[in-house]
Amino acid sequence: MSFRKNLGENYSPLYYLAALGSGGLVITFFMYLMFLTPHKGYPIPVYDTLIAVLKNGSSFQKFVVVLGAAGVAFFAYLHFRLLFWNIKEYGSFKKTGRFKELKKSPAEVQLMAIPLTYAMTVNVLFMVGAVFVPHMWNVVEYIFPFALLAFFAIGVYGIKIFMEFISRVVAFGGFDTENNNSLSQMLSIFAFTMIAVGFSATGAMSHNRLVSAIGIVFSVGFLSVAAVFGIIKLVIGFHSMFKHGVNREAAISLWIIIPILTVAGIALFRNSMGLHHNFNVHVHPTQHLVLFTVIVALQLFFGLLGYMVMKHINYFKKFIDGKIESVTAYAAICPGVALFVMLNFLLNKGFVGTGLVYKLSIIYLLLYVPLIYLQVKTIVVLFRLNRKLIKA
């Protein structure tokens, strides 16, 4: 599929969410490899463990490896293609008058989609390397410091964008809370939690105590900032919505809580694993069961709330299935990805980890059915939006 070119003033930084969603779908396929294939001695599945499964595994495990690897490869390709398209179009957009107007309005928060997507890119690179690069894990301790540097650079970039916006608002005012009747401002919180979960990966998997500690410290730091400003923006958004109703086009932002909770939850899980492995902090599987249950409960509640609100205003018929072109609709992809990922953690680290459900039992496989439906539905929506909003 060829993409539109030279959008100029018709471009929006929210187009980065298309690349973000594709990167998120890489993670969904990686989940199959993570939880349905053996990788003893490794924290995640890697090329060597997957090749061993293809040689000696069961037919089901071989199918999982082929499906997972194919999904990772395809959506990684789509992610990078959309990423490079965005970089080029954004470069042209910065020269327009509309970009200058954006920088002076509450919509400036849309720029946070850029560091958010870059953080996802680092995650995608790591997964592609793990799956397709032979013996990568033999040198992974040399890779972790570079991953920390990458997330540090993205974090600085994100803080710069956010500080330019928030400092101007605090210094001079002008932020119209009444007309920001959605949760669109939570995009910055999503970006900070994505950076936090990136740091936490090194914190969890590195066996070097110093490198692990750096990852955990920066992860906790970004999570703390996200928590404080997340509460502030959540209150402002709901106060305005209670008074004026939701902004029709931005109603999909009600679901942004879902990916924020997923990446925050995974960051907390990874940090606990890093503290357990490298600093002798005891962690019991029931703690993860409670953590993931709390997160999924909140996600399902916000998911239902958002769905009911959007049904009231016919959002899906207008902005997803209809002819109205709204880049904001790309915000529908990450909630599907995030809920799929968190339900995987609840099932495998929560239910299986505590012995409530046995892996590959009938109940286990039945519980996977709604997850697969959710993943397929998310992919369908992404392709539909790409055809409507990006296809030439």
Side-chain angles (χ1 to χ4, degrees), residues 10-170:
N10 293 321
Y11 176 81
S12 167
L14 292 179
Y15 271 112
Y16 270 92
L17 297 180
L20 177 72
S22 301
L25 286 166
V26 171
I27 299 174
T28 65
F29 282 94
F30 191 80
M31 289 293 99
Y32 293 128
L33 303 177
M34 179 75 179
F35 294 120
L36 296 176
T37 66
H39 44 89
K40 188 176 181 180
Y42 298 87
I44 61 173
V46 296
Y47 175 87
D48 305 271
T49 65
L50 298 177
I51 290 297
V53 170
L54 289 177
K55 290 180 178 179
N56 306 309
S58 65
S59 298
F60 174 75
Q61 289 175 333
K62 291 178 181 178
F63 170 75
V64 169
V65 170
V66 172
L67 174 68
V72 167
F74 175 79
F75 284 103
Y77 162 77
L78 185 58
H79 168 77
F80 285 108
R81 195 173 170 209
L82 287 165
L83 177 68
F84 294 139
W85 176 81
N86 269 286
I87 291 172
K88 182 179 180 181
E89 292 294 331
Y90 177 65
S92 301
F93 174 69
K94 288 177 69 175
K95 302 173 184 177
T96 66
R98 188 163 174 268
F99 175 75
K100 296 177 181 177
E101 294 175 5
L102 181 77
K103 291 279 288 182
K104 297 177 183 178
S105 72
E108 186 178 2
V109 74
Q110 294 178 7
L111 297 177
M112 291 299 291
I114 303 174
L116 169 61
T117 304
Y118 287 160
M120 175 62 79
T121 297
V122 179
N123 292 324
V124 170
L125 283 170
F126 190 81
M127 290 181 193
V128 170
V131 173
F132 295 107
V133 178
H135 315 306
M136 189 191 84
W137 214 255
N138 295 340
V139 295
V140 74
E141 289 293 348
Y142 297 101
I143 296 174
F144 285 139
F146 290 101
L148 290 177
L149 288 173
F151 282 113
F152 180 78
I154 295 168
V156 170
Y157 180 42
I159 291 172
K160 179 178 179 295
I161 293 173
F162 184 72
M163 281 298 180
E164 286 180 356
F165 168 60
I166 201 71
S167 62
R168 173 177 56 80
V169 170
V170 173

Side-chain angles (χ1 to χ4, degrees), residues 230-299:
I231 293 171
I232 294 171
K233 296 197 170 196
L234 197 62
V235 170
I236 291 174
F238 269 102
H239 175 267
S240 184
M241 284 187 287
F242 286 161
K243 189 173 182 179
H244 301 286
V246 71
N247 179 305
R248 299 300 192 259
E249 188 174 353
I252 194 69
S253 66
L254 287 167
W255 279 353
I256 199 172
I257 299 296
I258 297 174
I260 289 173
L261 286 172
T262 288
V263 290
I266 294 174
L268 292 171
F269 169 76
R270 286 175 171 176
N271 288 335
S272 70
M273 290 292 95
L275 292 170
H276 174 70
H277 295 314
N278 295 316
F279 300 96
N280 301 316
V281 177
H282 180 67
V283 179
H284 195 273
T286 53
Q287 293 173 269
H288 294 144
L289 173 64
V290 172
L291 171 66
F292 296 139
T293 300
V294 169
I295 290 174
V296 169
L298 289 170
Q299 288 178 320

